[in-house]
Amino acid sequence: MTYCVALRLRGGLVMLADTRTNAGVDNISTFRKLTTIEHPGDRVIGIMTAGNLALSQAIVNLATEQGLSLYDGEPHETLHTVPSMVRAAQLMGQAVRNVYKVDGPSLEAQAEPFNVSILMGGQIGGGKLRLFQIYAAGNYIEATEDTPYLQIGEHKYGKPIIDRAATYDTDVGDALKLALISMDSTIRSNLSVGLPIDVMVYRRDALKVALNRRIKDDDPYFKNIRQSWSDALTRAYQALPGPDWEF
């Protein structure tokens, strides 16, 4: 299991992913689930994956290194060469479908689902900053100003804080704090999500990454965020009036 969250804001893009994978309680590993493509002055694309790790790696490799044609007779493209973010989403969807053609029947024979989901956000050239979620069927949806964030994986524990506090006009720095609180809430409630955390921050129209960082359990800022949020929640519920019902 994993947890990934991305926020597309007026000021930029925040992407956050944990690194824990497990195939049972005695087989837990760490794998990077956030891939960053950066060509300064031309494009920045962030990709986060959840689900079957072998499928995720095959799909990302196909879209970033091997390349594929979206239409018969057209040359191969990769995420390093596509002209727009919409084209990037179409390419990633096609990569999902191509991997399904190869691995889907074998998985079905083993009664295993084709389990993969992807968040991809970024900006290419003078195009718009965009954020997409690509499903296991290869289709996708896009984040909007009304719903400026997307999540994949074990998202139910980290969703409430973002639902309550995040808007399209939220400052990028504040959005990063919200994402970290959201991740901490998930880690505390689900053992299948864990540190380290990979973070990517991109400021709109910069065409270069502002922050690309791995947060480990000894990171002083994250430790402070975790403790401060826990303390603030305790103070908040203690300050609420008690019920006036008889019991």
Short mmCIF file of all heavy atoms in Angstrom, two decimals, residues 178-240:
data_model
loop_
_atom_site.label_atom_id
_atom_site.label_comp_id
_atom_site.label_asym_id
_atom_site.label_seq_id
_atom_site.Cartn_x
_atom_site.Cartn_y
_atom_site.Cartn_z
N LEU A 178 0.12 21.30 4.62
CA LEU A 178 -1.08 20.48 4.62
C LEU A 178 -0.79 19.06 4.13
O LEU A 178 -1.29 18.08 4.69
CB LEU A 178 -2.16 21.11 3.75
CG LEU A 178 -2.83 22.37 4.28
CD1 LEU A 178 -3.75 22.97 3.22
CD2 LEU A 178 -3.62 22.05 5.55
N ALA A 179 0.01 18.96 3.08
CA ALA A 179 0.35 17.64 2.55
C ALA A 179 1.13 16.82 3.57
O ALA A 179 0.91 15.61 3.72
CB ALA A 179 1.15 17.80 1.26
N LEU A 180 2.04 17.47 4.28
CA LEU A 180 2.82 16.76 5.31
C LEU A 180 1.93 16.32 6.47
O LEU A 180 2.09 15.21 7.00
CB LEU A 180 3.95 17.66 5.81
CG LEU A 180 5.08 17.91 4.82
CD1 LEU A 180 6.03 19.00 5.35
CD2 LEU A 180 5.86 16.63 4.54
N ILE A 181 0.99 17.17 6.89
CA ILE A 181 0.05 16.78 7.94
C ILE A 181 -0.81 15.62 7.46
O ILE A 181 -1.07 14.66 8.20
CB ILE A 181 -0.82 17.98 8.35
CG1 ILE A 181 0.02 19.05 9.03
CG2 ILE A 181 -1.95 17.53 9.29
CD1 ILE A 181 -0.70 20.37 9.21
N SER A 182 -1.25 15.70 6.21
CA SER A 182 -2.05 14.63 5.62
C SER A 182 -1.28 13.31 5.62
O SER A 182 -1.82 12.25 5.95
CB SER A 182 -2.45 15.01 4.20
OG SER A 182 -3.12 13.98 3.54
N MET A 183 0.00 13.37 5.27
CA MET A 183 0.84 12.17 5.26
C MET A 183 1.05 11.64 6.68
O MET A 183 0.96 10.43 6.92
CB MET A 183 2.19 12.48 4.60
CG MET A 183 3.14 11.30 4.56
SD MET A 183 2.56 9.92 3.53
CE MET A 183 2.80 10.60 1.88
N ASP A 184 1.29 12.53 7.62
CA ASP A 184 1.49 12.09 9.01
C ASP A 184 0.24 11.41 9.55
O ASP A 184 0.33 10.39 10.24
CB ASP A 184 1.85 13.29 9.88
CG ASP A 184 1.98 12.92 11.35
OD1 ASP A 184 2.78 12.01 11.66
OD2 ASP A 184 1.28 13.52 12.18
N SER A 185 -0.93 11.95 9.24
CA SER A 185 -2.18 11.34 9.68
C SER A 185 -2.32 9.93 9.12
O SER A 185 -2.78 9.01 9.80
CB SER A 185 -3.38 12.19 9.24
OG SER A 185 -3.32 13.47 9.82
N THR A 186 -1.91 9.74 7.87
CA THR A 186 -1.99 8.43 7.23
C THR A 186 -1.00 7.45 7.85
O THR A 186 -1.33 6.30 8.13
CB THR A 186 -1.75 8.57 5.72
OG1 THR A 186 -2.66 9.52 5.17
CG2 THR A 186 -1.93 7.24 5.02
N ILE A 187 0.22 7.93 8.08
CA ILE A 187 1.25 7.06 8.68
C ILE A 187 0.83 6.60 10.07
O ILE A 187 1.03 5.44 10.44
CB ILE A 187 2.60 7.81 8.72
CG1 ILE A 187 3.16 7.99 7.30
CG2 ILE A 187 3.60 7.07 9.60
CD1 ILE A 187 4.39 8.87 7.23
N ARG A 188 0.22 7.50 10.84
CA ARG A 188 -0.19 7.15 12.20
C ARG A 188 -1.31 6.11 12.22
O ARG A 188 -1.44 5.36 13.18
CB ARG A 188 -0.65 8.41 12.94
CG ARG A 188 0.49 9.32 13.39
CD ARG A 188 -0.04 10.57 14.06
NE ARG A 188 1.04 11.40 14.56
CZ ARG A 188 1.57 11.32 15.77
NH1 ARG A 188 1.11 10.42 16.62
NH2 ARG A 188 2.54 12.13 16.14
N SER A 189 -2.13 6.09 11.17
CA SER A 189 -3.32 5.24 11.18
C SER A 189 -3.18 3.99 10.32
O SER A 189 -4.06 3.13 10.37
CB SER A 189 -4.53 6.04 10.70
OG SER A 189 -4.78 7.13 11.56
N ASN A 190 -2.12 3.89 9.52
CA ASN A 190 -1.98 2.74 8.64
C ASN A 190 -0.50 2.33 8.55
O ASN A 190 0.33 3.09 8.05
CB ASN A 190 -2.52 3.08 7.24
CG ASN A 190 -2.66 1.85 6.38
OD1 ASN A 190 -1.72 1.10 6.19
ND2 ASN A 190 -3.84 1.64 5.84
N LEU A 191 -0.21 1.12 9.01
CA LEU A 191 1.17 0.65 9.05
C LEU A 191 1.73 0.37 7.66
O LEU A 191 2.95 0.23 7.50
CB LEU A 191 1.27 -0.62 9.89
CG LEU A 191 1.03 -0.45 11.39
CD1 LEU A 191 1.06 -1.81 12.09
CD2 LEU A 191 2.07 0.48 12.00
N SER A 192 0.87 0.30 6.63
CA SER A 192 1.36 0.01 5.29
C SER A 192 1.87 1.26 4.58
O SER A 192 2.33 1.18 3.44
CB SER A 192 0.25 -0.64 4.45
OG SER A 192 -0.78 0.28 4.19
N VAL A 193 1.79 2.42 5.26
CA VAL A 193 2.34 3.67 4.73
C VAL A 193 3.43 4.14 5.69
O VAL A 193 3.22 4.14 6.90
CB VAL A 193 1.24 4.75 4.60
CG1 VAL A 193 1.83 6.06 4.11
CG2 VAL A 193 0.13 4.28 3.68
N GLY A 194 4.59 4.52 5.16
CA GLY A 194 5.67 4.89 6.07
C GLY A 194 6.76 5.72 5.44
O GLY A 194 6.83 5.89 4.22
N LEU A 195 7.61 6.26 6.30
CA LEU A 195 8.77 7.04 5.88
C LEU A 195 9.79 6.12 5.22
O LEU A 195 9.78 4.91 5.45
CB LEU A 195 9.38 7.72 7.11
CG LEU A 195 8.51 8.79 7.78
CD1 LEU A 195 8.97 9.03 9.20
CD2 LEU A 195 8.56 10.08 6.99
N PRO A 196 10.69 6.72 4.44
CA PRO A 196 10.85 8.13 4.07
C PRO A 196 9.73 8.62 3.15
O PRO A 196 9.01 7.84 2.55
CB PRO A 196 12.20 8.17 3.36
CG PRO A 196 12.89 6.90 3.69
CD PRO A 196 11.80 5.90 3.90
N ILE A 197 9.64 9.96 3.05
CA ILE A 197 8.68 10.63 2.18
C ILE A 197 9.47 11.40 1.11
O ILE A 197 10.45 12.07 1.42
CB ILE A 197 7.81 11.62 2.96
CG1 ILE A 197 7.08 10.93 4.10
CG2 ILE A 197 6.83 12.33 2.04
CD1 ILE A 197 6.50 11.93 5.10
N ASP A 198 9.01 11.32 -0.12
CA ASP A 198 9.62 12.10 -1.20
C ASP A 198 8.71 13.28 -1.55
O ASP A 198 7.49 13.12 -1.68
CB ASP A 198 9.85 11.24 -2.44
CG ASP A 198 10.96 10.23 -2.23
OD1 ASP A 198 11.99 10.61 -1.64
OD2 ASP A 198 10.80 9.06 -2.63
N VAL A 199 9.32 14.46 -1.70
CA VAL A 199 8.58 15.70 -1.94
C VAL A 199 9.11 16.39 -3.18
O VAL A 199 10.33 16.44 -3.41
CB VAL A 199 8.73 16.67 -0.74
CG1 VAL A 199 7.97 17.96 -0.99
CG2 VAL A 199 8.27 16.01 0.55
N MET A 200 8.18 16.89 -3.99
CA MET A 200 8.55 17.74 -5.12
C MET A 200 7.65 18.97 -5.12
O MET A 200 6.43 18.84 -5.03
CB MET A 200 8.42 17.00 -6.45
CG MET A 200 9.11 17.74 -7.62
SD MET A 200 8.03 18.87 -8.51
CE MET A 200 7.18 17.75 -9.61
N VAL A 201 8.25 20.15 -5.19
CA VAL A 201 7.51 21.41 -5.27
C VAL A 201 7.93 22.13 -6.54
O VAL A 201 9.12 22.25 -6.84
CB VAL A 201 7.77 22.31 -4.04
CG1 VAL A 201 7.04 23.64 -4.20
CG2 VAL A 201 7.33 21.61 -2.76
N TYR A 202 6.94 22.60 -7.28
CA TYR A 202 7.18 23.32 -8.52
C TYR A 202 6.37 24.61 -8.51
O TYR A 202 5.17 24.59 -8.19
CB TYR A 202 6.78 22.47 -9.73
CG TYR A 202 6.78 23.23 -11.03
CD1 TYR A 202 7.98 23.57 -11.66
CD2 TYR A 202 5.58 23.63 -11.63
CE1 TYR A 202 7.99 24.28 -12.85
CE2 TYR A 202 5.58 24.35 -12.81
CZ TYR A 202 6.79 24.68 -13.41
OH TYR A 202 6.80 25.40 -14.59
N ARG A 203 7.00 25.74 -8.84
CA ARG A 203 6.31 27.02 -8.91
C ARG A 203 5.93 27.31 -10.36
O ARG A 203 6.75 27.17 -11.27
CB ARG A 203 7.17 28.14 -8.34
CG ARG A 203 7.42 27.97 -6.84
CD ARG A 203 7.98 29.21 -6.20
NE ARG A 203 8.17 29.04 -4.75
CZ ARG A 203 7.23 29.19 -3.84
NH1 ARG A 203 6.01 29.53 -4.21
NH2 ARG A 203 7.48 29.00 -2.56
N ARG A 204 4.66 27.71 -10.53
CA ARG A 204 4.08 27.90 -11.87
C ARG A 204 4.98 28.77 -12.76
O ARG A 204 5.49 29.81 -12.32
CB ARG A 204 2.70 28.55 -11.73
CG ARG A 204 1.94 28.67 -13.03
CD ARG A 204 0.62 29.38 -12.81
NE ARG A 204 -0.28 28.60 -11.97
CZ ARG A 204 -1.18 27.73 -12.44
NH1 ARG A 204 -1.29 27.53 -13.73
NH2 ARG A 204 -1.98 27.08 -11.60
N ASP A 205 5.18 28.30 -13.98
CA ASP A 205 5.92 28.99 -15.04
C ASP A 205 7.43 29.04 -14.82
O ASP A 205 8.15 29.62 -15.64
CB ASP A 205 5.40 30.43 -15.25
CG ASP A 205 3.95 30.47 -15.70
OD1 ASP A 205 3.52 29.54 -16.40
OD2 ASP A 205 3.24 31.43 -15.33
N ALA A 206 7.93 28.42 -13.74
CA ALA A 206 9.37 28.46 -13.49
C ALA A 206 10.13 27.52 -14.43
O ALA A 206 11.30 27.77 -14.76
CB ALA A 206 9.67 28.08 -12.04
N LEU A 207 9.50 26.41 -14.83
CA LEU A 207 10.12 25.38 -15.67
C LEU A 207 11.43 24.86 -15.07
O LEU A 207 12.38 24.52 -15.78
CB LEU A 207 10.34 25.91 -17.09
CG LEU A 207 9.04 26.21 -17.87
CD1 LEU A 207 9.36 26.77 -19.24
CD2 LEU A 207 8.16 24.97 -17.98
N LYS A 208 11.45 24.81 -13.76
CA LYS A 208 12.52 24.14 -13.02
C LYS A 208 11.95 23.77 -11.64
O LYS A 208 11.04 24.43 -11.13
CB LYS A 208 13.76 25.03 -12.87
CG LYS A 208 13.54 26.29 -12.06
CD LYS A 208 14.83 27.09 -11.93
CE LYS A 208 14.59 28.35 -11.09
NZ LYS A 208 15.85 29.14 -10.93
N VAL A 209 12.48 22.72 -11.05
CA VAL A 209 11.99 22.23 -9.77
C VAL A 209 12.44 23.17 -8.66
O VAL A 209 13.62 23.56 -8.59
CB VAL A 209 12.49 20.80 -9.50
CG1 VAL A 209 12.12 20.35 -8.09
CG2 VAL A 209 11.91 19.84 -10.53
N ALA A 210 11.51 23.56 -7.78
CA ALA A 210 11.86 24.42 -6.65
C ALA A 210 12.40 23.61 -5.48
O ALA A 210 13.31 24.06 -4.77
CB ALA A 210 10.64 25.23 -6.21
N LEU A 211 11.84 22.41 -5.27
CA LEU A 211 12.26 21.57 -4.14
C LEU A 211 12.08 20.11 -4.52
O LEU A 211 11.03 19.70 -5.00
CB LEU A 211 11.42 21.88 -2.89
CG LEU A 211 11.67 20.99 -1.66
CD1 LEU A 211 13.05 21.27 -1.07
CD2 LEU A 211 10.59 21.20 -0.61
N ASN A 212 13.13 19.34 -4.32
CA ASN A 212 13.09 17.89 -4.52
C ASN A 212 13.83 17.28 -3.33
O ASN A 212 15.05 17.32 -3.26
CB ASN A 212 13.76 17.50 -5.84
CG ASN A 212 13.36 16.13 -6.31
OD1 ASN A 212 12.87 15.31 -5.53
ND2 ASN A 212 13.56 15.86 -7.59
N ARG A 213 13.07 16.73 -2.38
CA ARG A 213 13.66 16.38 -1.09
C ARG A 213 13.12 15.04 -0.58
O ARG A 213 11.95 14.73 -0.79
CB ARG A 213 13.34 17.47 -0.06
CG ARG A 213 13.94 17.26 1.33
CD ARG A 213 13.52 18.39 2.25
NE ARG A 213 14.09 18.27 3.58
CZ ARG A 213 15.26 18.75 3.96
NH1 ARG A 213 15.99 19.42 3.08
NH2 ARG A 213 15.71 18.60 5.18
N ARG A 214 13.97 14.29 0.08
CA ARG A 214 13.54 13.08 0.79
C ARG A 214 13.53 13.37 2.29
O ARG A 214 14.52 13.82 2.86
CB ARG A 214 14.44 11.88 0.49
CG ARG A 214 14.18 10.69 1.38
CD ARG A 214 14.64 9.39 0.81
NE ARG A 214 13.80 8.96 -0.31
CZ ARG A 214 13.86 7.74 -0.85
NH1 ARG A 214 14.72 6.85 -0.39
NH2 ARG A 214 13.06 7.41 -1.86
N ILE A 215 12.37 13.13 2.92
CA ILE A 215 12.20 13.37 4.34
C ILE A 215 12.30 12.04 5.08
O ILE A 215 11.50 11.13 4.84
CB ILE A 215 10.84 14.03 4.62
CG1 ILE A 215 10.77 15.40 3.93
CG2 ILE A 215 10.60 14.18 6.11
CD1 ILE A 215 9.40 16.05 4.01
N LYS A 216 13.28 11.94 5.99
CA LYS A 216 13.47 10.73 6.77
C LYS A 216 12.96 10.96 8.19
O LYS A 216 12.55 12.07 8.55
CB LYS A 216 14.95 10.34 6.78
CG LYS A 216 15.50 10.08 5.37
CD LYS A 216 16.97 9.69 5.42
CE LYS A 216 17.51 9.44 4.01
NZ LYS A 216 18.95 9.07 4.02
N ASP A 217 13.00 9.90 9.00
CA ASP A 217 12.39 10.00 10.33
C ASP A 217 13.15 10.92 11.27
O ASP A 217 12.64 11.28 12.34
CB ASP A 217 12.24 8.62 10.97
CG ASP A 217 13.54 7.86 11.06
OD1 ASP A 217 14.60 8.43 10.74
OD2 ASP A 217 13.50 6.68 11.46
N ASP A 218 14.37 11.33 10.90
CA ASP A 218 15.13 12.25 11.75
C ASP A 218 15.07 13.69 11.24
O ASP A 218 15.78 14.56 11.74
CB ASP A 218 16.59 11.80 11.84
CG ASP A 218 17.29 11.76 10.49
OD1 ASP A 218 16.61 11.87 9.45
OD2 ASP A 218 18.53 11.59 10.47
N ASP A 219 14.20 13.97 10.25
CA ASP A 219 14.09 15.32 9.72
C ASP A 219 13.50 16.24 10.78
O ASP A 219 12.36 16.02 11.24
CB ASP A 219 13.20 15.32 8.47
CG ASP A 219 13.16 16.68 7.80
OD1 ASP A 219 12.39 17.55 8.27
OD2 ASP A 219 13.89 16.87 6.81
N PRO A 220 14.20 17.29 11.21
CA PRO A 220 13.71 18.12 12.33
C PRO A 220 12.40 18.85 12.01
O PRO A 220 11.55 19.00 12.89
CB PRO A 220 14.86 19.10 12.58
CG PRO A 220 15.68 19.08 11.34
CD PRO A 220 15.54 17.73 10.76
N TYR A 221 12.24 19.32 10.77
CA TYR A 221 11.01 20.04 10.45
C TYR A 221 9.81 19.11 10.49
O TYR A 221 8.76 19.45 11.06
CB TYR A 221 11.11 20.70 9.08
CG TYR A 221 9.83 21.43 8.71
CD1 TYR A 221 9.46 22.61 9.34
CD2 TYR A 221 8.97 20.90 7.74
CE1 TYR A 221 8.27 23.25 9.02
CE2 TYR A 221 7.78 21.54 7.42
CZ TYR A 221 7.44 22.72 8.07
OH TYR A 221 6.26 23.34 7.75
N PHE A 222 9.94 17.93 9.91
CA PHE A 222 8.81 17.00 9.91
C PHE A 222 8.49 16.52 11.33
O PHE A 222 7.32 16.38 11.69
CB PHE A 222 9.10 15.81 9.00
CG PHE A 222 7.92 14.89 8.82
CD1 PHE A 222 6.75 15.36 8.26
CD2 PHE A 222 7.99 13.56 9.22
CE1 PHE A 222 5.65 14.51 8.10
CE2 PHE A 222 6.90 12.72 9.06
CZ PHE A 222 5.72 13.19 8.50
N LYS A 223 9.51 16.31 12.14
CA LYS A 223 9.27 15.93 13.53
C LYS A 223 8.51 17.03 14.26
O LYS A 223 7.59 16.75 15.05
CB LYS A 223 10.61 15.64 14.23
CG LYS A 223 11.28 14.36 13.77
CD LYS A 223 12.67 14.22 14.33
CE LYS A 223 12.67 14.00 15.82
NZ LYS A 223 14.05 13.75 16.33
N ASN A 224 8.85 18.28 13.98
CA ASN A 224 8.15 19.40 14.60
C ASN A 224 6.71 19.50 14.12
O ASN A 224 5.79 19.75 14.92
CB ASN A 224 8.89 20.70 14.30
CG ASN A 224 8.22 21.90 14.94
OD1 ASN A 224 8.01 21.96 16.15
ND2 ASN A 224 7.87 22.88 14.12
N ILE A 225 6.50 19.30 12.82
CA ILE A 225 5.14 19.31 12.26
C ILE A 225 4.28 18.24 12.93
O ILE A 225 3.13 18.48 13.34
CB ILE A 225 5.18 19.08 10.74
CG1 ILE A 225 5.60 20.37 10.01
CG2 ILE A 225 3.82 18.61 10.21
CD1 ILE A 225 4.53 21.41 9.91
N ARG A 226 4.83 17.04 13.08
CA ARG A 226 4.08 15.92 13.66
C ARG A 226 3.66 16.24 15.10
O ARG A 226 2.50 16.05 15.49
CB ARG A 226 4.91 14.64 13.65
CG ARG A 226 5.39 14.19 12.30
CD ARG A 226 6.09 12.86 12.34
NE ARG A 226 5.12 11.76 12.34
CZ ARG A 226 5.46 10.50 12.20
NH1 ARG A 226 6.74 10.15 12.08
NH2 ARG A 226 4.54 9.54 12.19
N GLN A 227 4.62 16.73 15.90
CA GLN A 227 4.33 16.99 17.29
C GLN A 227 3.41 18.20 17.46
O GLN A 227 2.47 18.18 18.26
CB GLN A 227 5.64 17.21 18.07
CG GLN A 227 5.45 17.28 19.58
CD GLN A 227 4.83 16.02 20.15
OE1 GLN A 227 5.32 14.92 19.91
NE2 GLN A 227 3.75 16.16 20.90
N SER A 228 3.67 19.24 16.68
CA SER A 228 2.86 20.45 16.78
C SER A 228 1.42 20.19 16.38
O SER A 228 0.48 20.70 17.02
CB SER A 228 3.45 21.56 15.91
OG SER A 228 4.74 21.92 16.35
N TRP A 229 1.21 19.40 15.35
CA TRP A 229 -0.15 19.09 14.91
C TRP A 229 -0.87 18.24 15.96
O TRP A 229 -2.04 18.48 16.26
CB TRP A 229 -0.11 18.38 13.57
CG TRP A 229 -1.47 18.01 13.04
CD1 TRP A 229 -1.98 16.76 12.83
CD2 TRP A 229 -2.52 18.91 12.66
NE1 TRP A 229 -3.25 16.82 12.35
CE2 TRP A 229 -3.62 18.13 12.22
CE3 TRP A 229 -2.62 20.31 12.63
CZ2 TRP A 229 -4.80 18.70 11.78
CZ3 TRP A 229 -3.81 20.87 12.20
CH2 TRP A 229 -4.88 20.07 11.77
N SER A 230 -0.18 17.28 16.51
CA SER A 230 -0.77 16.44 17.56
C SER A 230 -1.17 17.29 18.77
O SER A 230 -2.27 17.15 19.32
CB SER A 230 0.20 15.34 17.97
OG SER A 230 -0.35 14.51 18.96
N ASP A 231 -0.28 18.19 19.17
CA ASP A 231 -0.57 19.06 20.31
C ASP A 231 -1.74 19.99 20.01
O ASP A 231 -2.59 20.23 20.88
CB ASP A 231 0.67 19.89 20.67
CG ASP A 231 1.81 19.04 21.22
OD1 ASP A 231 1.56 17.88 21.61
OD2 ASP A 231 2.95 19.54 21.24
N ALA A 232 -1.78 20.52 18.78
CA ALA A 232 -2.86 21.44 18.41
C ALA A 232 -4.21 20.74 18.41
O ALA A 232 -5.22 21.31 18.84
CB ALA A 232 -2.57 22.04 17.03
N LEU A 233 -4.26 19.50 17.94
CA LEU A 233 -5.51 18.74 17.96
C LEU A 233 -5.98 18.49 19.39
O LEU A 233 -7.17 18.60 19.70
CB LEU A 233 -5.33 17.40 17.24
CG LEU A 233 -5.28 17.44 15.71
CD1 LEU A 233 -5.00 16.05 15.17
CD2 LEU A 233 -6.57 17.98 15.12
N THR A 234 -5.04 18.17 20.27
CA THR A 234 -5.40 17.93 21.66
C THR A 234 -5.97 19.18 22.30
O THR A 234 -7.00 19.14 22.98
CB THR A 234 -4.17 17.45 22.45
OG1 THR A 234 -3.68 16.23 21.87
CG2 THR A 234 -4.52 17.20 23.91
N ARG A 235 -5.30 20.32 22.06
CA ARG A 235 -5.80 21.58 22.62
C ARG A 235 -7.17 21.94 22.04
O ARG A 235 -8.06 22.44 22.75
CB ARG A 235 -4.81 22.71 22.35
CG ARG A 235 -3.50 22.60 23.13
CD ARG A 235 -2.73 23.92 23.04
NE ARG A 235 -2.40 24.28 21.68
CZ ARG A 235 -1.28 23.92 21.06
NH1 ARG A 235 -0.38 23.17 21.69
NH2 ARG A 235 -1.05 24.32 19.82
N ALA A 236 -7.37 21.67 20.75
CA ALA A 236 -8.63 22.03 20.09
C ALA A 236 -9.80 21.25 20.67
O ALA A 236 -10.85 21.83 20.99
CB ALA A 236 -8.52 21.80 18.59
N TYR A 237 -9.64 19.94 20.84
CA TYR A 237 -10.80 19.18 21.33
C TYR A 237 -11.05 19.47 22.82
O TYR A 237 -12.19 19.47 23.28
CB TYR A 237 -10.62 17.68 21.06
CG TYR A 237 -10.06 16.86 22.20
CD1 TYR A 237 -10.89 16.44 23.25
CD2 TYR A 237 -8.72 16.49 22.22
CE1 TYR A 237 -10.37 15.68 24.29
CE2 TYR A 237 -8.21 15.75 23.26
CZ TYR A 237 -9.04 15.33 24.29
OH TYR A 237 -8.53 14.60 25.32
N GLN A 238 -9.97 19.77 23.57
CA GLN A 238 -10.15 20.10 24.98
C GLN A 238 -10.86 21.44 25.15
O GLN A 238 -11.56 21.66 26.14
CB GLN A 238 -8.80 20.12 25.68
CG GLN A 238 -8.19 18.74 25.86
CD GLN A 238 -6.80 18.78 26.47
OE1 GLN A 238 -6.13 19.83 26.46
NE2 GLN A 238 -6.33 17.66 26.99
N ALA A 239 -10.69 22.34 24.19
CA ALA A 239 -11.30 23.66 24.27
C ALA A 239 -12.77 23.65 23.86
O ALA A 239 -13.50 24.61 24.15
CB ALA A 239 -10.54 24.65 23.39
N LEU A 240 -13.23 22.59 23.22
CA LEU A 240 -14.63 22.52 22.81
C LEU A 240 -15.52 22.32 24.03
O LEU A 240 -15.15 21.63 24.99
CB LEU A 240 -14.83 21.35 21.83
CG LEU A 240 -14.17 21.47 20.46
CD1 LEU A 240 -14.32 20.16 19.70
CD2 LEU A 240 -14.79 22.62 19.65
#
